[in-house]
Structure formats: C-alpha cells, structure tokens
C-alpha cells in the first residue's frame, strides 16, 4: 500500500513538474480546454447511453 502511494506521489510530482515547465500560456489553455472537453464528452455520452437504456 505504501509503495502504491509513493508511486502516485512520484507520478503527481512528475506531472506537476511538466506543467510548471510549460512556458506558453496558449499551450496551457489548450491542454485545459482539451481536458474539459474530454470530461464533457464522457459525461455527455454516458447520459445518452442511459437515455437509450431507459427507452428500451
């Protein structure tokens, strides 16, 4: 369990370091929009799937 937590911390630190190394604000905005878009697409398709299940 401790190994998994240590691995998660290490991965988080690597992602944070990557994010802090990005100098372009346009790229940061593009990554945020991409992330929000992917989450929105997932939620939208899940809602549509449940709507189709209710009809049938």
């Amino acid at each position: 369990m401790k190994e998994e937590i240590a691995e998660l911390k290490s991965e988080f630190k690597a992602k944070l370091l990557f994010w802090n190394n990005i100098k372009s604000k346009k790229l940061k905005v593009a990554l945020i929009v991409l992330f929000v878009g992917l989450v929105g697409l997932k939620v939208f398709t899940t809602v549509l799937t449940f709507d189709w299940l209710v009809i049938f």
Side-chain angles (χ1 to χ4, degrees):
M1 184 72 174
K2 288 183 180 181
E3 296 166 354
E4 294 171 357
I5 292 173
E7 184 179 340
L8 284 174
K9 285 182 182 179
S10 171
E11 187 136 350
F12 178 75
K13 287 179 184 178
K15 301 280 186 206
L16 187 61
L17 183 63
F18 170 74
W19 181 258
N20 288 335
N21 282 338
I22 298 174
K23 301 296 180 198
S24 171
K25 289 189 179 195
K26 288 181 182 180
L27 181 59
K28 283 186 177 184
V29 169
L31 288 173
I32 291 171
V33 168
L34 178 67
F35 178 74
V36 170
L38 288 174
V39 170
L41 183 63
K42 179 65 178 172
V43 169
F44 181 71
T45 55
T46 302
V47 168
L48 283 180
T49 303
F50 286 135
D51 282 348
W52 284 108
L53 288 174
V54 171
I55 293 172
F56 293 111

